[in-house]
Amino acid sequence: MADLKQLARRIFHETLAAIDIPLTMQRKLVREGSLLRCGPAAFDLSQFKKIRVVAIGKAAHAMLDGLKDILPSDFSFAGIASAPVSPSKPHPGIQYFIGGHPIPNEDSWNAAKAILEMLVACDSQTLVFFLLSGGGSALVELPLDPLLTLSDMQQIHRVLIGCGAPIEAINTVRKHISAVKGGRLATAANRATKITLAVSDVPAGKEWVLASGPTLPDPTTWSDMEKIIDEYALRDKFPDAFHRWGAREAILETPKPGDPAFKNAQFSILLGLDHLFHPAHGTAEGSGCISCCDNATDDWPVERAAEYLLAQLQELHRNNPRRRVAVIADGEVSSPIRGNGIGGRNAAFVLSCVEKIAGKNIAVLSAGTDGIDGNSPAAGAVADGETLARAHAIGLDPREALQRSDAYTFFRRLDDALVTGPTGNNLRDLRVLIAAPDTESSSA
């Protein structure tokens, strides 16, 4: 079965290689002299006195590199970037912050202050590029209520990411308490022309969820936030300062469609769902697999997602018993934190499959394209039909590991954790499930 795990690993790594951000920006943005075309829109750079850049997210540095390659050398820019790691090649004029993820830190706080200060100074002759990617919700943070402290915001973020709610719900709460989310960066640069370029790790049609939608109108309301807090029993877990603020009469709602700040704004997806599926599917097919793509499990609990995708794999195998088959899935599954172990939703998904595939000629991989899975140093994990027996042989119990939220430790000891380091990208999580043909020995 080792060859199935190796094939799953290869599909993941070749997919990562195919989603190069600077090259994608060169394909999507076309420059003719001072004219920059972005989708159907065109901008004459010579009409602006200043170009400013706000780069937020795990792909911030790669997106800055891509923008630098596209803009003419005589059109310099200045701005601010907040990412989880420092840049390998800093750009002149950019102020860098190493923000916290998944919990905001002091640099997240200071980056938000610097961004707002810069945007407020932008006028009608300023062009602002917003380069957004996943992770931005924590990498830049500042409360709408100045009485909320960094410690308060850290507590709120910690409660939200551990409650089991889907990212759409989590970010609905985040947007309504933040000075930099839910369209508020667009309103801060109200007079400027704004171009948002996005590497999206959220479903198509829900772009306002990406980085909590700092440059897009917010379709959610304070009432929506209140319902989420009640549904997930979060009220008693939030700091007292939050409740004191919420009890006051003057609650400032997020900007909605029709707000003047969005009139002179353009939003464009550079990389999204299709860009992840296409190379993964192509590599699987090129390796001799009959494969299909499935994005139905987004935001599902890990157990339900595992059962569904394995059923899809088994059906594909029944219809093609003499061929290797593969199911390629994307999206973020929900994995509530139950213990104080090390791991994230990707390793938890694979761990939930271990007993289900025991003894079968099947391999399962799940990994984040950002190279980071929860609080672990891995991107995810891979397992096959021999994993359970190997685990038992060294005293590991997958159920116990799940209960302790310790999936990374489980797979590290088996040498099946996927460690890439931060990739500088952040599309959706990728899951690869492969089954061997009936004619292939289970000891292969």
Side-chain angles (χ1 to χ4, degrees):
M1 299 183 202
D3 60 335
L4 293 185
K5 287 200 300 185
Q6 286 304 110
L7 175 56
R9 287 174 180 266
R10 183 158 66 84
I11 291 171
F12 173 60
H13 286 292
E14 291 194 13
T15 300
L16 285 183
I19 53 176
D20 181 271
I21 289 174
L23 290 178
T24 300
M25 292 181 75
Q26 290 180 23
R27 291 195 300 267
K28 293 290 186 75
L29 302 180
V30 179
R31 184 176 62 81
E32 301 166 359
S34 65
L35 192 67
L36 183 68
R37 298 188 184 278
C38 178
F43 303 87
D44 188 348
L45 301 176
S46 65
Q47 299 301 307
F48 299 96
K49 289 186 176 181
K50 297 183 294 183
I51 298 177
R52 297 291 180 260
V53 180
V54 175
I56 303 171
K58 297 174 185 177
H61 300 320
M63 296 182 79
L64 274 170
D65 292 344
L67 184 65
K68 182 67 174 178
D69 291 342
I70 292 165
L71 294 183
S73 58
D74 51 338
F75 287 91
S76 61
F77 60 79
I80 297 158
S82 185
V85 296
S86 58
S88 56
K89 295 180 180 179
H91 293 288
I94 299 296
Q95 186 179 5
Y96 289 94
F97 295 88
I98 303 176
H101 186 273
I103 306 299
N105 62 9
E106 190 170 351
D107 256 18
S108 306
W109 196 268
N110 292 333
K113 289 181 177 179
I115 289 169
L116 288 174
E117 183 178 349
M118 181 184 75
L119 294 180
V120 168
C122 293
D123 56 22
S124 60
Q125 293 183 306
T126 305
L127 175 62
V128 183
F129 286 95
F130 292 94
L131 309 180
L132 302 183
S133 55
S137 295
L139 293 165
V140 173
E141 183 61 290
L142 197 68
L144 202 55
D145 179 5
L147 297 181
L148 283 166
T149 65
L150 174 58
S151 178
D152 291 330
M153 296 299 280
Q154 288 173 329
Q155 181 180 339
I156 292 171
H157 276 255
R158 194 172 290 111
V159 167
L160 286 170
I161 64 174
C163 74
I167 190 63
E168 180 179 340
I170 290 172
N171 284 0
T172 295
V173 177
R174 285 167 165 168
K175 284 185 289 188
H176 283 87
I177 62 176
S178 176
V180 293
K181 297 174 171 55
R184 289 190 168 113
L185 290 190
T187 58
N190 184 56
R191 293 177 296 165
T193 297
K194 297 169 281 288
I195 303 175
T196 299
L197 304 175
V199 173
S200 178
D201 62 345
V202 301
K206 294 185 178 180
E207 287 76 18
W208 46 271
V209 178
L210 176 66
S212 296
T215 63
L216 289 176
D218 179 27
T220 70
T221 65
W222 183 272
S223 177
D224 293 329
M225 183 195 74
E226 293 275 13
K227 291 175 184 177
I228 292 165
I229 289 174
D230 290 336
E231 180 180 354
Y232 291 92
L234 306 179
R235 202 167 295 278
D236 292 341
K237 300 175 183 177
F238 279 2
D240 291 340
F242 169 82
H243 299 298
R244 289 194 295 270
W245 173 53
R248 296 203 295 269
E249 292 183 6
I251 297 299
L252 183 61
E253 186 55 89
T254 49
K256 306 302 179 192
D259 189 290
F262 305 117
K263 185 177 180 180
N264 52 350
Q266 166 85 10
F267 186 96
S268 180
I269 295 289
L270 292 175
L271 288 169
L273 167 63
D274 291 342
H275 302 96
L276 186 63
F277 269 160
H278 183 72
H281 182 268
T283 301
E285 292 275 337
S287 302
C289 295
I290 292 178
S291 58
C292 70
C293 296
D294 192 304
N295 66 350
T297 56
D298 192 40
D299 284 333
W300 287 18
V302 288
E303 285 290 339
R304 182 184 172 204
E307 290 174 0
Y308 172 85
L309 291 175
L310 285 170
Q312 295 293 94
L313 183 71
Q314 289 166 2
E315 182 179 354
L316 194 59
H317 171 73
R318 282 194 299 270
N319 294 332
N320 303 275
R322 297 182 180 276
R323 294 283 301 277
R324 282 189 177 185
V325 296
V327 172
I328 311 295
D330 83 323
E332 297 183 358
V333 294
S334 173
S335 179
I337 298 172
R338 300 186 180 95
N340 58 356
I342 303 173
R345 60 180 178 260
N346 286 292
F349 173 86
V350 180
L351 190 55
S352 69
C353 292
V354 166
E355 290 187 322
K356 297 177 176 65
I357 65 174
K360 299 177 182 178
N361 212 351
I362 291 174
V364 175
L365 176 148
S366 185
T369 52
D370 59 354
I372 302 167
D373 186 33
N375 64 350
S376 81
V382 62
D384 62 16
E386 296 177 349
T387 298
L388 182 62
R390 292 174 56 222
H392 284 168
I394 59 173
L396 295 176
D397 183 343
R399 294 186 185 183
E400 182 187 11
L402 269 175
Q403 286 300 316
R404 291 186 287 106
S405 299
D406 203 22
Y408 166 73
T409 303
F410 180 94
F411 288 112
R412 176 184 57 78
R413 291 189 60 188
L414 294 171
D415 199 29
D416 281 332
L418 299 174
V419 181
T420 63
T423 64
N425 208 326
N426 193 49
L427 289 182
R428 318 213 70 202
D429 295 341
L430 181 69
R431 277 172 283 288
V432 180
L433 299 85
I434 306 173
D438 290 340
T439 54
E440 195 168 306
S441 168
S442 63
S443 61

